[in-house]
Structure formats: C-alpha cells, structure tokens
Amino acid sequence: MSAQEAHFQGAEILQSTRTHVRWTLQKLSAPVSFSCHQCGRRTTDTVVAIKTTSAGRQLAHCADCHLQRLTEVASTYEPPASAVSAAPAPGGAEGAATSRLDETVLIRQPDPGLPHDVVETPPELRWSFVIRRHHLEHGQCPLPSQAARRIRTAKVVHLDHGRGFPTVLLDSLRKKVTKEHLRGIRWPSELLPGTRVTANLDRSRLRLSLTLLERPVFIAKRRFSYTYDPRIIARELPTSLAHSPAGIAVSLDVLVQETIRKLGYLDEAGSALLPVENLIRGVRSRAISHQYSSDAIRASVNGLINRRRLTWETGSCAADGVLHFPARPGERTVRLVCYTPFVVPKPKKQRIVHLPSASSRHGVAGHLMKIEHLGKQASAAALAAYAEAHRSAGLTGTHHLPKGHTYVKPHKRGGLT
C-alpha cells in the first residue's frame, strides 16, 4: 500500500518524518490495513513506513521491518559518546566497557510458526508448528517443502482436539496449495495464537493434533487449554499502543515496555530482552508524535527497573553482530533490558473429574509438559523416556530433555475399562 492508497481509505497523514534515504515514517489519522512489503505480514496500524524506490513506487513496511532496516545501516548509528549517559550496568561496571555494551546488535530468531521437527517416512510426513495470528486470519496451515507433492492427493484435513472425535477443517474443493502454506483452513474460533500443533500427512488426509494441558492456564484473561509456546503469546498479545484512544498520548513507560516486547529477543519462558541502544531506536521509531531523548528513555528504564517492571540480564554478541542469550563464552557481553509481559499463575489444588464414556477413550501422544513453575524436576525415568522417543523419531540435535520440562509418555485416556 502506498501513501496515496492510505488517503483513499479515508486516512490523512498527520506527520511524516524522514528516517533515512528514501524512507519516511508516517503517522495517519486512523488505522489502515496493509501488507508489509518485506515480511508479507498483514498489519493494521496508524504508523506506516514508506520506502520510495528509484522508479517512484511507494512501498509500505511495518514498524518492525522499518526498525530492522535502521539497525542494519551503519550510517544511522549515534556517536559512541552518547553512551556516557547510559543507565548504570549491573554490578557497577563503568568506563570503556559501557560504550561497547550499548552498541546496536542484530536480533535473529527462528520463527516457531514455520514447520520444524520434520520427519519423513514412506507412509507419512510429520512436522510441528505454532499457530501465529496470520495463520488464523488468513486460514493458513504452514507446510514443509516435502509436503507440496503429498498434500495434493490428501482429500480432507482433520483437527484432533484430544476429545475422541476430530473436527473437519477443510474439504478437497476449497484446498489451495502453495510452496509454504495450505490455504482455506477454517480454524476454530477458540484456537489462540501460540498453540502448538503436530501435523501428520499420509496419502489420504492431513491430521492436525493438539495436546491438552492437565489444567487450563489463563494468560492475559485468555484461556489456554492446549500446550502453547510462551514466545508467540508474548509477541502477539494485543498491544496497548494499537488500541489507545485517539488523542491520548501513550506514556513513555508503556512505550518502552511495548517496544521491548515487540522487538526483543524472546527466551523459552516468553520474556523479551533488548539491548539499550536498540531500545532507544525502537522507541523513537514507534513514537513519532513525540521525539524522546536518549536521557528520557534511559530514565524511564531506570524507573521501571526500580519498580521491578524490568530487570537486567546479560547476553552476548557474536562477531557478525547477532545477539545470543544466554551469553556464550568467548563473545562480547551485552547488557539487556528484560521485560516479562505475563506470569503464568500456579495451578490451584483442585481436580476436575470427568466420568468415562464409551466415546471418550482416546490416545494421547507423547509430549513435553512444563513443570518448572511447580518447583519440580523431571525424574530419571522421564529423562530416559524422552531420549528414547527422540532417537526413535529420527530427530536430529540433542536428546536431552529441555530444562524446566518433563516428558509424558504416550498413553490412553478416558473411556470405559
């Protein structure tokens, strides 16, 4: 979408700021919906980054891709002297190390929404993915490259909720196959971004499976009944910036926290981590209605840390400028601001008992279960069972059970005995 197209939709340009050669950041009078030219994600926002090509075309970009572009351009870096006013590092580290710790670094993470843990055998193809918001909005199911040929012969798609009977999501007449997605999926309305999905494709059908949690978990007033990825939930929680009433300025403290959540490195628990210099640039690119100074942003960070809304962590930066967390030995250490957008509540000591019926008996696939928040550790039997299941599935990588989790072996649940 170009700037002119934004006018056609009834939105006026309230402010236009030139951020780099051929790049302008525009604030509009009303939210507009557009597809980012770089990442392809459908976005609705009042801020649009416009890149003007040499041919005069105006290409719309989302705020995240615009910030990534700015961090990759060395000519936009501030002089190292600006780091003198940096917030104090943990442990009282000062001096020459401070200026290096605030250098802008690149943040690259694999997208859990893309197919991963792909296992191909003659009878079937299996992979996993995490539901993203754009999957739900556009009716998409991500496919690995190996699935393009097989999926054309599959007649129907089933979703197994673990309740005994699957739900039909797609019939053969509505099926549209691309290199990366199966389109036309009618996802259930109760399915939330962040839900983990296991896909099994054979000659006749594609079956998608969800794994029930032992107890539902409420995050940001939303009920999660199936296993989920906290990283995706943290990234795709509704942003307070997009829903602020017109004419009401967003506070700098809120802007700082939202910038970390949207642009930071996400750990396994869903916490977002961002170097201070990246944070300063991110805040400035998202708040064009008010140009905050570096000192003001650092003061906000210090205040949020004093109120325990933010914490300090330490990561490292590789030779190619990519951020790693936790810090890796031999790499330059980087001071990170950490924001945890939600806390998973401890489950209440109560049980819900369902009487078995002839139709409720079903198999439950082996799966990981998070137990760190319960103060427990995986048993030796769970460690051995996970290693054996990992090897049997032919998966590459370590066979060690992820920290803070246990392994639940395949078993039968429900039904009459």
Side-chain angles (χ1 to χ4, degrees):
M1 175 185 295
S2 66
Q4 289 81 357
E5 289 172 329
H7 279 297
F8 293 155
Q9 293 188 0
E12 298 181 357
I13 299 177
L14 301 180
Q15 185 172 354
S16 182
T17 304
R18 184 174 182 270
T19 58
H20 191 55
V21 178
R22 301 184 185 277
W23 285 85
T24 57
L25 199 62
Q26 299 180 351
K27 183 174 182 181
L28 308 177
S29 60
V32 295
S33 181
F34 62 94
S35 294
C36 176
H37 182 75
Q38 180 169 324
C39 67
R41 182 178 60 185
R42 193 72 180 174
T43 303
T44 300
D45 204 345
T46 57
V47 176
V48 182
I50 302 297
K51 178 183 179 182
T52 304
T53 66
S54 56
R57 295 181 60 198
Q58 294 183 314
L59 307 177
H61 291 70
C62 64
D64 294 351
C65 291
H66 173 252
L67 177 63
Q68 181 181 355
R69 170 61 181 172
L70 293 183
T71 58
E72 292 175 352
V73 180
S75 61
T76 62
Y77 289 174
E78 291 182 357
S82 64
V84 174
S85 60
E94 299 178 355
T98 303
S99 62
R100 298 197 65 189
L101 290 175
D102 283 342
E103 293 177 0
T104 305
V105 298
L106 301 179
I107 298 175
R108 297 173 184 166
Q109 279 186 283
D111 183 356
L114 298 177
H116 56 271
D117 294 340
V118 180
V119 178
E120 185 174 15
T121 60
E124 68 174 11
L125 179 66
R126 184 172 68 238
W127 69 94
S128 300
F129 64 95
V130 178
I131 289 287
R132 301 296 302 270
R133 188 174 301 278
H134 64 267
H135 295 153
L136 300 176
E137 293 176 349
H138 300 290
Q140 297 176 343
C141 172
L143 301 175
S145 58
Q146 301 95 316
R149 174 178 52 85
R150 294 186 181 218
I151 195 66
R152 298 185 187 279
T153 62
K155 296 181 180 180
V156 293
V157 179
H158 287 290
L159 175 65
D160 187 351
H161 289 70
R163 297 171 181 167
F165 295 99
T167 301
V168 177
L169 300 178
L170 175 68
D171 56 42
S172 57
L173 297 178
R174 294 172 53 88
K175 182 172 61 179
K176 297 180 181 179
V177 181
T178 68
K179 293 182 179 180
E180 299 178 347
H181 295 100
L182 172 65
R183 296 182 178 178
I185 300 291
R186 300 184 296 270
W187 293 110
S189 58
E190 68 269 17
L191 201 60
L192 298 174
T195 304
R196 297 183 185 272
V197 181
T198 300
N200 287 274
L201 173 63
D202 56 28
R203 295 180 179 179
S204 62
R205 71 180 62 183
L206 171 63
R207 185 178 296 277
L208 307 177
S209 301
L210 309 177
T211 302
L212 277 167
L213 296 170
E214 288 192 350
R215 292 183 177 87
V217 173
F218 288 86
I219 301 176
K221 299 181 180 180
R222 298 191 178 190
R223 177 190 175 104
F224 286 81
S225 300
Y226 306 100
T227 54
Y228 56 87
D229 189 323
R231 295 172 296 174
I232 297 301
I233 298 175
R235 191 75 91 201
E236 298 198 345
L237 283 173
T239 171
S240 60
L241 303 185
H243 301 283
S244 297
I248 299 180
V250 177
S251 71
L252 179 55
D253 287 354
V254 172
L255 187 58
V256 165
Q257 294 173 87
E258 289 293 325
T259 301
I260 299 174
R261 180 172 69 84
K262 296 295 290 185
L263 304 180
Y265 180 96
L266 298 174
D267 67 5
E268 292 184 356
S271 295
L273 305 108
L274 196 63
V276 174
E277 199 66 21
N278 291 53
L279 173 59
I280 292 174
R281 298 186 184 283
V283 169
R284 288 176 172 173
S285 70
R286 295 165 66 85
I288 61 175
S289 61
H290 186 95
Q291 292 299 321
Y292 294 104
S293 66
S294 298
D295 290 342
I297 298 173
R298 294 177 194 276
S300 174
V301 170
N302 284 334
L304 290 167
I305 289 176
N306 291 335
R307 298 196 299 273
R308 299 184 179 180
R309 298 297 302 274
L310 300 177
T311 57
W312 289 113
E313 298 290 346
T314 300
S316 63
C317 184
D320 57 359
V322 176
L323 175 69
H324 292 141
F325 181 82
R328 296 183 178 182
E331 294 183 350
R332 175 173 62 87
T333 57
V334 179
R335 178 182 50 183
L336 303 173
V337 186
C338 177
Y339 172 51
T340 302
F342 56 82
V343 177
V344 178
K346 294 183 179 180
K348 297 180 180 179
K349 294 182 178 180
Q350 61 182 14
R351 295 180 62 191
I352 301 177
V353 179
H354 296 281
L355 295 178
S357 65
S359 62
S360 65
R361 185 144 180 95
H362 60 275
V364 179
H367 61 276
L368 293 175
M369 183 174 68
K370 192 173 182 65
I371 59 175
E372 186 177 28
H373 63 287
L374 302 177
K376 298 182 179 181
Q377 294 183 349
S379 64
L383 296 173
Y386 176 80
E388 179 59 28
H390 202 274
R391 284 190 291 266
S392 299
L395 301 177
T396 60
T398 178
H399 300 312
H400 295 296
L401 188 67
K403 183 180 179 182
H405 294 74
T406 188
Y407 178 69
V408 180
K409 295 189 294 185
H411 60 280
K412 296 288 185 179
R413 177 181 294 174
L416 296 175
T417 57

